[in-house]
Amino acid sequence: WPPTSAIIHTAGVTDDTPLTTLTPQRLHPVLTPKIDGAHLLHELTRHNPPTIVLFSSISGLLGGAAQAAYTYLDALATNHPTTTSLAWGLWQQESDITARLSSADQARIARTGLRSLPTEQALALFDAAVSGRARGSVVVPALLAPTVEGTPAPLLRGLVRAARPSARTRAGAGGGAASLAGRLAGLDREARAEVLLELVRGEVGTVLDHPAPGTIPGDRALIELGLDSLTFVELRNRLSTATGLRLPATLTFDHPTPQAVADLLDRELGDTAREVRPGRTGVSGAGGGLAAIHRRMHETGKHLQAAELLLAVSHVRGQFGAAERDRYARPPIRLATGPGRVSLVCFPALSAISGPHEYSRFGQVFRGERNVHVVPSPGFTDGEAEALPDSLETLVQMNVEGLRACVGEDEPFVIVGRSMGGCVAHAVAVALEDQGLRPAGLALIDSYPIDAAGQEGMEWWLGGMIGGMLDRIDRFDMTLHDDRLTTMGLYNRLFVGWQPKPVQTPILLLRATEPLRGTTVDPEGRLDWRAYWPVAHESTDIPGDHFTTLEERSDTTAQAIRSWVDGLV
């Protein structure tokens, strides 16, 4: 065989997702063909190195989602004198990878300042890079737009100019927070609400590449419009820029429709005669307030007293009875659709950071496979002191009706509950069986009964759970409103003394295998810290801790439930 003079490495796999949703299972198939392949090429040819051309991507330089493998290729090239990394822009000719790009994806790429390369031009750039003196460097063969609406990607700002905003863009951000405050000044309540809804529709239209944002229904769930984890983040960031507010990471789940988001902006912006208020972070009220007091009690080890404080303060919340439940029920949210025979109906936990967003990544796993719904409980909308159920019976009735709205009369379904949401899910299963409707299954994701902290060896439980909650508030730059804490206190009060009753429905308890910080782990194994359930069930262990089972480890949690469901019917 003649000696090899050049090697072109083109293999690639993509799995676009925000950094916070990356898991080993999602990273491995993406990194293997790029990083492992490139590394092996250099190892195998290090004694007589040929010219090596690596197909990289400009997204690794611009900060594209899930494109970290390409930055490795670029770094590899700069450290090997016979290697060139071509950080390609988008080709006009579709490949197996780019064929999956939606119109919204294409529009998002265009907003960075990139245009699609015609094949002839791309091949000419390849020839120029490989035959020139580019070895040992990173070359960016890409076609840039002369102008772009909005702000170009930071790396391109010296090459691409910002164009005059189009009519659709002006319907969105409209020039940022100062411009928005000017537009709102002097408006009556109705006109102000119209401007803010127009703003939200415009930004939703931008991230989805919607041809007519003004026609987007104000009451349509954003997730049903096609927003995914990437576009959720982009929408939040664009609205933050447009308003000057620091909006919560859970924006689109706490406020799932354009109208709900617009209502939140209206409350948070306050009086436009004053300056736009800066966003709040951490706890509501830096100098005091219930959230600050609760955090200080936790930090000084007063976990039980902090829990008792929330039980006591919860009595200030307005409440509604069973006859009024339709007025206060929040509509279920559909996370996934598919032809699968068995639907999943999920109930979130009842902590201060709870809500439908807990199942966001979990639901994405089932898209195109089966229907997945979340039934929210009232009280978890930031800044709103919503009325709450006056009894456990009212809460359960409301959630039973929410579940029935999700599934057809003869449609098999599995109820899913996480943490204290497992208590809700089990109570709903009991009520359904009493009504003659038996679920196909009940899956509890790391659920403990309400009296877990009082059991021998479980003294760590309250501190570990609240510590994990506060860690996530800091990690995701969330605002902890006092109302959310009183909501948590009231729901915990409703469940005081509750114990799950035996049911005919098969139960699967999924137990996290990684302890939370502060967990008491018995090295001799006499006391088990893992989740437990007091009635007959089967159990399986899943990777992750109490929180990450539906965060970084959502994929494996979903797979465990999928396998179990497949065995039920």
Side-chain angles (χ1 to χ4, degrees), residues 444-465:
L444 309 176
I445 302 174
D446 213 51
S447 292
Y448 295 79
I450 187 66
D451 62 353
Q455 304 304 308
E456 181 184 2
M458 298 290 291
E459 295 79 11
W460 59 270
W461 190 79
L462 269 178
M465 294 296 171

Side-chain angles (χ1 to χ4, degrees), residues 22-94:
L22 287 178
T23 63
Q25 291 77 16
R26 300 190 77 160
L27 274 175
H28 182 73
V30 175
L31 300 186
T32 296
K34 283 297 183 188
I35 290 181
D36 291 359
H39 177 74
L40 287 171
L41 279 178
H42 279 277
E43 286 295 308
L44 295 171
T45 62
R46 67 180 183 272
H47 298 300
N48 186 22
T51 297
I52 296 178
V53 181
L54 306 175
F55 271 35
S56 180
S57 170
I58 193 172
S59 60
L61 302 174
L62 299 183
Q67 307 301 326
Y70 294 112
T71 61
Y72 176 88
L73 300 187
D74 298 340
L76 191 65
T78 59
N79 286 281
H80 290 81
T82 64
T83 300
T84 300
S85 180
L86 300 183
W88 285 103
L90 184 66
W91 282 44
Q92 203 171 77
Q93 180 176 324
E94 286 187 348

Side-chain angles (χ1 to χ4, degrees), residues 348-351 353-354 358 417-422 444-449 452 458 460-461 464-469 472 509-517 519 529-532 542-553 557:
L350 299 177
S351 79
I353 60 173
S354 293
E358 295 173 21
R418 172 190 169 269
S419 189
M420 272 287 291
L444 309 176
I445 302 174
D446 213 51
S447 292
Y448 295 79
M458 298 290 291
W460 59 270
W461 190 79
M465 294 296 171
I466 300 302
M469 181 187 80
R472 271 140 188 86
L509 175 63
L510 298 101
R511 302 182 300 187
T513 56
E514 300 170 15
L516 289 170
R517 180 163 51 90
T519 300
W529 60 268
R530 293 175 300 175
Y532 66 95
I542 53 174
D545 64 29
H546 183 75
F547 293 93
T548 61
T549 52
L550 280 184
E551 295 172 350
E552 295 93 326
R553 301 289 193 166
T557 301

